[in-house]
Amino acid sequence: MKTLRNTLIGLTLSSALFASANIFAEDYVIDSKGMHASIQFKISHLGYSWMWGRFSDFEGAFSYDDKDKAASKIAVTVKTASVDSNHAERDKHLRSDDFLEVDKYPEAKFVSTSYTEGSDGKAVLKGNLTLHGVTKEVEVAVSPVGAGKDPWGGYRRGFEGKTRIALKDYNIKMNLGPASAELDLIFEFEGVRK
C-alpha cells in the first residue's frame, strides 16, 4: 500500500512539474485586423530597381516564453490572392500560373520548428514555409520591437523578421533573370496577449 501511495505521489509531482514547464509561456494573436502587422516582400526588378509588395490577408498566433525562449513558436497562414504590389495588372499576373497560382494554392503557411535567441535579444527562427505547394525549411532573422501594456487594458508584444528565398525552390515558373531570382520576405508582427 505504501509503494502504491509513493507511486501516486510521484506521478502527481511529475505531472505538476510537466504542467508548469509552460507556465511562463504567453500566447498572442497577431493583430492583423488592426493593421498592426504586415507581411511584405521585396524583389529586384531586372537589377534596376526594387519592387515592393505585400499580402493583405493573413492570420496567425505565437507563443513567447521569457523563461524558456527556445520554447517560443509561431504559425501564420496567408491568403495568396491578397498579394498587392500597388499595380492591378501586375497583381493579376502575380496571381496567375506564372507565379502564385492562387486558384490551385490559395494559402501559404509558415510553422516554426525552433527559436534560438541570443543575449542581445536577436534570434534565429527556423521553420517550414509552404508556398506554391512546396514546403522548405527557412531561417528568419528576428529582432524584438517591444512589449508592454496598451491603452485598452491589454498586453502586446512585437517582433520584426526577414528571410530570403529563391523562387525556383518553390517551383515558381517565371524567370526574370538572375537579379530577380530571389526575394526578401519582411515580417512585422504585433501580437495581443490572450
Side-chain angles (χ1 to χ4, degrees):
M1 189 68 170
K2 188 173 182 181
T3 303
L4 177 61
R5 183 173 173 267
N6 288 343
T7 302
L8 289 173
I9 290 171
L11 287 172
T12 303
L13 287 173
S14 296
S15 297
L17 287 172
F18 180 76
S20 67
N22 287 327
I23 199 167
F24 298 108
E26 297 177 340
D27 295 325
Y28 295 84
V29 174
I30 294 173
D31 188 11
S32 54
K33 303 295 185 229
M35 295 306 291
H36 296 118
S38 66
I39 300 175
Q40 299 180 79
F41 59 89
K42 180 178 89 165
I43 188 167
S44 174
H45 183 248
L46 309 174
Y48 308 135
S49 64
W50 293 104
M51 194 276 288
W52 285 83
R54 66 179 182 153
F55 291 95
S56 303
D57 189 356
F58 61 91
E59 61 183 15
F62 64 87
S63 293
Y64 185 77
D65 191 334
D66 202 36
K67 301 294 183 185
D68 181 13
K69 295 181 172 76
S72 303
K73 56 189 176 181
I74 187 170
V76 181
T77 301
V78 178
K79 301 294 184 186
T80 54
S82 72
V83 65
D84 179 1
S85 67
N86 200 33
H87 189 283
E89 284 303 309
R90 179 170 54 219
D91 293 344
K92 185 177 176 182
H93 190 203
L94 291 174
R95 295 183 187 107
S96 77
D97 292 355
D98 282 341
F99 289 101
L100 296 172
E101 292 189 84
V102 300
D103 291 337
K104 189 174 181 181
Y105 306 109
E107 292 183 342
K109 294 182 180 181
F110 177 80
V111 179
S112 66
T113 55
S114 70
Y115 182 81
T116 307
E117 187 172 308
S119 58
D120 59 355
K122 294 183 179 179
V124 174
L125 177 69
K126 290 184 181 179
N128 293 317
L129 174 64
T130 301
L131 176 66
H132 198 238
V134 178
T135 301
K136 294 272 188 184
E137 185 180 65
V138 297
E139 287 189 8
V140 183
V142 176
S143 296
V145 177
K149 294 179 181 178
D150 64 27
W152 308 281
Y155 191 89
R156 294 172 180 257
R157 185 178 294 276
F159 295 91
E160 60 184 359
K162 185 176 180 181
T163 190
R164 178 167 285 188
I165 63 170
L167 299 184
K168 68 176 183 179
D169 286 349
Y170 294 91
N171 292 336
I172 293 175
K173 299 171 188 173
M174 195 69 181
N175 183 354
L176 297 173
S180 306
E182 297 180 324
L183 65 78
D184 291 331
L185 286 169
I186 301 104
F187 313 91
E188 301 286 344
F189 290 148
E190 180 179 304
V192 181
R193 190 168 65 188
K194 294 180 184 179

